[in-house]
């Protein structure tokens, strides 16, 4: 449905103008700078890679990501072993606590 400004009431006209101004302002003041910032960051990182002696298809980048994966797997193994140690400590504490409770209950029954 297309309406001319003559067909809108004054209140509707003000609402349309305000909505248009709001969305234009959002586009110009928020969206466009965000997109430009992302583009600048991408270009700077690409240029930094080239300056450090690489090219865009540099296998060194792939090797470093593989090293990161290897380091992540080592860190995951460390976390698993720590988790197992904590689990063993918790089970030992529960066992010790249950023995103490049993001894205290036996003392109460003796009295």
């Amino acid at each position: 449905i297309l309406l001319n400004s003559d067909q809108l009431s004054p209140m509707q006209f003000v609402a349309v103008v305000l909505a248009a101004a709001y969305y234009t302002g959002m586009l110009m003041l928020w969206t466009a700078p965000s997109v430009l910032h992302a583009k600048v960051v991408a270009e700077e990182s690409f240029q930094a890679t080239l300056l450090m002696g690489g090219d865009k298809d540099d296998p060194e980048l792939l090797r470093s990501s593989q090293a990161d994966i290897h380091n992540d797997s080592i860190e995951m193994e460390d976390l698993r072993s720590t988790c197992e140690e904590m689990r063993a400590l918790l089970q030992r504490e529960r066992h010790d606590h249950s023995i103490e409770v049993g001894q205290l209950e036996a003392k109460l029954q003796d009295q």
Side-chain angles (χ1 to χ4, degrees):
I1 297 175
L2 297 175
L3 299 173
N4 292 335
S5 62
D6 299 338
Q7 295 173 329
L8 296 175
S9 71
M11 188 63 122
Q12 291 173 332
F13 182 75
V14 168
V16 168
V17 168
L18 286 176
Y22 172 77
Y23 286 111
T24 302
M26 288 297 289
L27 178 66
M28 300 307 274
L29 298 175
W30 183 69
T31 307
S34 297
V35 170
L36 283 174
H37 177 69
K39 184 173 172 51
V40 167
V41 167
E43 287 178 359
E44 286 176 352
S45 65
F46 180 74
Q47 289 173 355
T49 304
L50 289 178
L51 288 175
M52 293 185 346
D55 59 3
K56 63 180 179 181
D57 299 325
D58 193 5
E60 182 65 32
L61 295 175
L62 294 175
R63 274 188 240 117
S64 67
S65 66
Q66 289 171 352
D68 290 342
I69 291 171
H70 180 68
N71 290 339
D72 289 345
S73 65
I74 291 172
E75 185 175 339
M76 184 62 77
E77 289 172 9
D78 290 344
L79 287 173
R80 282 187 185 128
S81 65
T82 303
C83 183
E84 291 298 321
E85 290 174 11
M86 296 299 288
R87 187 174 288 133
L89 284 172
L90 178 63
Q91 289 175 350
R92 186 173 16 169
E93 287 293 321
R94 285 181 178 169
H95 177 67
D96 293 347
H97 180 71
S98 65
I99 289 174
E100 289 175 7
V101 168
Q103 289 173 348
L104 289 172
E105 285 176 351
K107 277 185 181 178
L108 283 174
Q109 288 177 357
D110 290 342
Q111 291 177 358

